[in-house]
Amino acid sequence: MPSRFLIHYAQAHHEFRLPELQSVAELHDISYKLPDDPKDRDPTRPFMVVELESEEHARILARRCILIKAVYEFYAKGSTYEEVHRNNRQSEHLWKRYVEDTSFRFLVTSSQHKIPQSRQREVIESFSYMDFRGKIDMKTPDILLMCFEEYDEKPGTTRERHEGDGDFREVFFGRLIEEGTARQLVRTFDVKKRVYYGNTSMESEISLLMANQTLASPGKFIYDPFMGTGSMAYPTGHFGALVFGSDIDGRQMRGKQKVPGVLRAAQQYGIASRIVDLATFDITINPWRCGDLFDAIVTDPPYGVRAGAKRLGRKRELSERQKELCLMHSKSPRPDDQPYIPPTKPYELSHLATDLVLFSRYLLKPGGRLVFFLPTTDEYQEVDIYSMLCEGMEVIANSLQDFGSWGRRVRSDYSQAPLQVLIIRIQLVTIKKTTSKQFPPPTFEPIQPSPDESAHVPAHRDFREKYFQGFKPKSNETSVAEEATTS
């Protein structure tokens, strides 16, 4: 028979909580049920009561979910303490077995508030009817009973130490099952402590959340087509998966020392044996000759702010004379004995995203997942995500990391410049391959603009230009010049 458990969430990345819970539950074949009332499954609240089949399932979630601080056996909740006590008495069959000779500790705490010690004692004494007869142990008790008072968040305000005490939204009461040990990984993979990283390295908490979305586990084979400094490889490798990485610019993966930077960082985390290999190539001209290879593809595609997205090719077509000269020089050895560096051209974000979905459909096994970040603006609509889909690919999670009215300064010479408001949103998109049908390799042909003026234009189209316009609007002359340069 299912039992109810109280999940205490970290107050971060609200939109990622339920997708992470769903993914970890699917990975471990855990069935769960969320509250029926929408206000009780509000992801912005720090507490949520869910139904699980067993206490062991609760422990598994606490050990794997990055956003879970702790899981408790749920006893009661209420908007007043009278309601809490009434509901707690109805749950006597759950806590009665601890009454006789179990050492215990009783704590009263809250979110967004500091409860005076005098009232903490009053609350503890109000539970005296439970008649616990075991020893009170403040260090190593057999059970820990927790009473949580939930207060509404008031961002941007400064309150006195005990201001609004007792004006809580709801009270939760339960017994600690397991603390969220997975949250410790956020410090373990902290970029600042990593032996190798770059200016585009993903922060550890986000990379861990993405790893959970891939269902990373022993026996899985996972690919990052925009490897960079390897931020996605370390948490997926930690969870037991084998990782292959590639990038159009091998310098990011290699670094400047003899041992490649990604491998040095992997050695730091004890997962070097799980990095299968690293390769340098453009995904639009890739070496994959068969599909259905990977259990998941996880990546943070470059979107042209700190590191522009590139693909092989020329910005302008060569004239016939230039082609003749190239052909002539190709038949003679290079006098300076330098390696040939192929030319590259910009890779517009909306085209990259559409190509990435096609590429993933080809390479993923049936049921495999594509997990990636998609930056967008306040013009975002749900159809933006669905417009990049293709046959056999289905969106199963789309979480928003909203930075609000915010803009990043990318050069120090902007520090004194007036900052115009730019609304930036980051979507963590999880797409699943829902078909066993085999597809040919994508051709990555240039996407031609639709002549239909009513055709939908996604908000992430020309993201880089929109980003920098947020700092400094383009003049008409500049726009015309840039269009002439890129045409």
Side-chain angles (χ1 to χ4, degrees), residues 127-299:
F127 285 87
S128 60
Y129 60 86
M130 297 179 73
D131 195 24
F132 275 74
R133 300 166 192 171
K135 177 184 176 182
I136 297 176
D137 188 340
M138 302 300 288
K139 293 184 177 180
T140 57
D142 293 330
I143 63 171
L144 176 61
L145 300 172
M146 293 288 292
C147 187
F148 296 99
E149 293 182 359
E150 179 190 359
Y151 287 78
D152 290 326
E153 290 189 39
K154 295 183 178 180
T157 61
T158 302
R159 296 186 295 180
E160 296 295 331
R161 183 177 178 83
H162 301 305
E163 180 183 345
D165 182 58
D167 188 20
F168 46 76
R169 177 175 181 176
E170 205 162 19
V171 177
F172 298 85
F173 180 55
R175 174 181 66 88
L176 177 65
I177 298 293
E178 181 112 5
E179 293 185 344
T181 53
R183 281 204 62 75
Q184 300 173 8
L185 296 175
V186 177
R187 293 191 296 273
T188 300
F189 290 98
D190 187 352
V191 175
K192 296 178 182 177
K193 302 176 183 178
R194 191 173 298 165
V195 297
Y196 179 70
Y197 60 91
N199 62 356
T200 58
S201 295
M202 177 69 71
E203 64 170 304
S204 60
E205 188 168 15
I206 294 296
S207 62
L208 285 160
L209 289 169
M210 294 179 74
N212 272 343
Q213 287 298 99
T214 67
L215 310 184
S217 58
K220 297 289 181 68
F221 192 20
I222 295 178
Y223 173 41
D224 184 350
F226 301 99
M227 188 74 158
T229 57
S231 294
M232 303 302 138
Y234 312 129
T236 50
H238 171 81
F239 290 135
L242 299 176
V243 182
F244 183 93
S246 71
D247 204 299
I248 191 174
D249 186 353
R251 294 173 298 178
Q252 287 289 309
M253 297 183 292
R254 292 191 298 268
K256 297 182 179 180
Q257 297 186 21
K258 185 174 182 180
V259 178
V262 170
L263 292 183
R264 283 189 285 117
Q267 290 169 358
Q268 175 186 355
Y269 299 124
I271 60 164
S273 62
R274 294 175 186 156
I275 306 297
V276 175
D277 207 348
L278 306 173
T280 302
F281 59 80
D282 177 3
I283 67 166
T284 65
I285 309 175
N286 62 77
W288 305 116
R289 294 297 174 260
C290 62
D292 296 356
L293 288 173
F294 299 103
D295 296 285
I297 293 176
V298 58
T299 193

Side-chain angles (χ1 to χ4, degrees), residues 50-66:
V50 300
E51 289 187 8
L52 300 171
E53 293 292 335
S54 68
E55 186 173 305
E56 181 58 28
H57 287 174
R59 295 184 185 277
I60 291 172
L61 294 177
R63 294 167 187 165
R64 182 64 189 259
C65 290
I66 306 303

